[in-house]
Amino acid sequence: MLTIRATARRAVLLALAVLLTLGGTAPAMAADPPVPREDIYRSLKVDDVPAAYVVLVDVSSSMQDKGPDGVPLYTTVKRRLAGFIGSLTPADQVAVVTFGRATGVVHPMSPADRTDGLFDKELPKVAQESASDHGAALDAAADQLDRSEAPVGAVLMLTDGAVNAPGSPYARLGNPAWRQLRERYTELGTNRKIMGYGLPLTEGTGVSEVLGSAFGAPRILPVDPAALGSQLSTAKDQVRAQKAASLLRADRGATVTVSVAGEDVRRADGGQVTVRTGDRTGERTRTLDVTLVSKARYVPLDVRLTGTGGTGGARVTSTSPAGPVTLEPGGKKTVRVTLTWRQDPRFSLIPGSRDYEGRVGLRAAVSSPWTSTIRGSLGEAEFSTGAPVVTELALRGTVPGRTPGWLPPLVLLVLLLGAAAAWRGYKRHAPLLTGVLIVTDLRTGNRQEIPLHGRKVTQETDAGQVWARVTVRGRQKAGRPMLVLRCERDAPRPGGERLCDTGTCELGKSTVLCGIGFSHKQESEAAVLR
C-alpha cells in the first residue's frame, strides 16, 4: 500500500511539473527554413559560370598495381575520370596533365564538352614511367590555368606515390624551385579562387606536403580508390559552391535606395525629405509612397520599414504590406506608409501664426533570405547585407499662436502689484503735508500764513509789499521729514529780473528763499508728515 501511494504521489508531482513547464513557456516562433542550395544555384545560373579544372594523373609504373577491387589503379583512374569530366557543364574547362619522369600536357585547357579522344588517344594506354615529378606537374598546371579566365580554378592531383624525381628542380620539397612555385600560385589566386585537391590512391604518398608546398590550404581526400568517383564529385561540388561564391561576393553589403513621394513632399539635395503640413491643427495623417530599389546584383533582399525617433509628436506606421518587402536583384517596388503627427497651437504672447516643425526617421532594414545558406553550406561566413538605410522626414507647417488662459489674470495681477508698489513709493517720496508755512517779508516783518494739506500746495502770497508764488511738497530725506519749497518772486526793483529759487526746510525750522523768510509751524506737537 505504501508503495502504491508513493508511486501515485510521484506521478502527480511529475504531472504538475509538466503542466507548469507548458504553461510558463511561450511558444517559439518557427524560423524560416534555409533556402536550399540548389535553388540558389539555379537562381544564379551557376552552371553558366566557368571553372577551370586541371587534372594531374600519375603515370608511374606503380599505378599498374591492383587496387582493393583487383583492378589496376590506372584503369580505375581513367574510368572514374571519364565519368567526372562527363558531368561537367559546357561552360567548364578542363586540362589533363600526366606526370612521371617526364611531364606531358595530353589535353590542353579547352571546354569540358570537347574531350573526345582523351581516353582513347591522348592518355597513355598503360602507366609505365619510372619516376614521379609532382613539382613539374604542378608547374604545368599553372601554365594551363594561365590560359583560362575562369573565376574559379581547381587542380586535382591523382597519385599513388611520393615525390621521386631525381635530377628535377623539384626533387626536394622546400628548395627554391618549390618556393617559386608557391609564389606563382599565390599570384594566380590574386583575382580568382584557386583550389588544390589531393586524391591519394595509396598510403604514404605525401600528397598533403606536396600540395601544401604550392597551396596554402589544400583539400586532401581520404585514401580509397573504390570511392574515387564520389571523391571527384565532392571536389566538383565544392568548386560549384565556389562558383556561386564568386558571384555572391559582389553583393556583400548589398542595400537599397529609398525615395519618398506624396502630396507636398520635397527632397533636398542632402537626402532629407520635407513634408509641408499646412496650418490645420489636431491629429494629422499623410500617406506617402516609398519606392525601394535593390542595389544587389544576385541576391534577393527583404526590406522592413519602420519609424525611428520622432519629435513634434510625429511617427511612421506601415500600411502595406504587413511583412517585409521582398525585392528581386535589381528590382523595384513601391509601398505605402502612413505618417501621423499632431499639430497643436503654440504658446504666444501675441496672436498670430507660429512655425511648426517635427522630425521622424523612416528606417529600411535590409536582409536576405539566402544569408543562412550562404554562410553555412556555401562557406561564405562573412557574407552580410548592408546597414539599415534611414531617411529623415522633416515636417514643416504653421500653427496659430494661442495665449494661455492663465496669462490675462497673471498680467492683471502683475499690474495691480505694480500699481500698489508705485503708490507706496509715491506716498513714501511725497508724504501728506501738515501744519502752517509762515511767509515773512524780511524788510517790513509782515507775515502771511499758508495752511498745509494734501501732498502739494501752491499759493500766491503778498506779505507786505512782496508778491510771490510758493509751491510746497513733502519729502523724506535720510529718514527725516522736510519741506521742499519753490519760490517765484517779482523783481525787487523796477526793471529788474524775477527771482526763482528752490530749497528745503526741516519741520519746525526756517529758511530764506528769494529774500523771503519761510518757517514751518506744527498745528500740534503730535502732527508730523505722514
Side-chain angles (χ1 to χ4, degrees), residues 430-431 433 455-457 471-475 482-486 529:
L433 300 171
R455 302 184 187 279
K456 178 181 177 182
V457 174
T471 302
V472 185
R473 290 186 177 87
R475 180 67 55 84
M482 59 181 56
L483 301 177
V484 178
L485 305 175
R486 179 178 174 81
L529 286 175

Side-chain angles (χ1 to χ4, degrees), residues 356-417:
Y356 166 79
E357 182 170 349
R359 292 180 182 274
V360 68
L362 181 63
R363 184 177 187 269
V366 183
S367 61
S368 175
W370 288 8
T371 299
S372 61
T373 303
I374 294 172
R375 290 179 176 178
S377 59
L378 292 184
E380 291 294 301
E382 297 181 358
F383 180 85
S384 64
T385 51
V389 179
V390 177
T391 303
E392 187 175 348
L393 305 178
L395 286 69
R396 293 195 175 96
T398 58
V399 292
R402 176 178 295 175
T403 302
W406 49 263
L407 186 59
L410 177 63
V411 172
L412 179 59
L413 177 61
V414 170
L415 291 176
L416 291 175
L417 292 175

Side-chain angles (χ1 to χ4, degrees), residues 20-38:
L20 289 173
T21 302
L22 293 176
T25 304
M29 297 295 291
D32 293 334
V35 177
R37 187 168 61 175
E38 287 298 325

Side-chain angles (χ1 to χ4, degrees), residues 7 10 38 59 103 108 111 144 155 158 172 190 264 302 320 366 369 381 392 425 431 437 454 485:
T7 303
R10 286 196 295 270
E38 287 298 325
V59 291
T103 299
Q144 295 302 306
V155 177
L158 293 83
R172 186 170 55 87
T190 301
D264 294 328
D302 286 342
S320 65
V366 183
E392 187 175 348
L437 180 67
L485 305 175

Side-chain angles (χ1 to χ4, degrees), residues 237-259:
D237 290 343
Q238 293 181 2
V239 171
R240 200 174 183 212
Q242 285 302 319
K243 289 183 182 183
S246 69
L247 301 176
L248 294 171
R249 291 187 190 104
D251 281 347
R252 284 183 182 175
T255 185
V256 296
T257 59
V258 181
S259 59

Side-chain angles (χ1 to χ4, degrees), residues 274-352:
T274 301
V275 181
R276 293 294 176 184
T277 63
D279 57 0
R280 292 171 53 192
T281 57
E283 193 79 14
R284 304 289 308 281
T285 60
R286 184 72 56 80
T287 299
L288 304 178
D289 292 327
V290 180
T291 301
L292 306 171
V293 180
S294 171
K295 298 175 73 174
R297 295 176 58 188
Y298 302 104
V299 302
L301 299 178
D302 286 342
V303 184
R304 291 184 181 272
L305 292 174
T306 57
T308 178
T311 61
R315 64 184 185 274
V316 173
T317 56
S318 177
T319 55
S320 65
V325 180
T326 299
L327 297 175
E328 295 301 320
K332 177 173 71 173
K333 283 187 180 179
T334 298
V335 297
R336 290 197 163 182
V337 300
T338 299
L339 176 63
T340 305
W341 73 97
R342 185 174 184 83
Q343 279 183 214
D344 292 326
R346 293 289 180 88
F347 169 81
S348 176
L349 295 176
I350 303 174

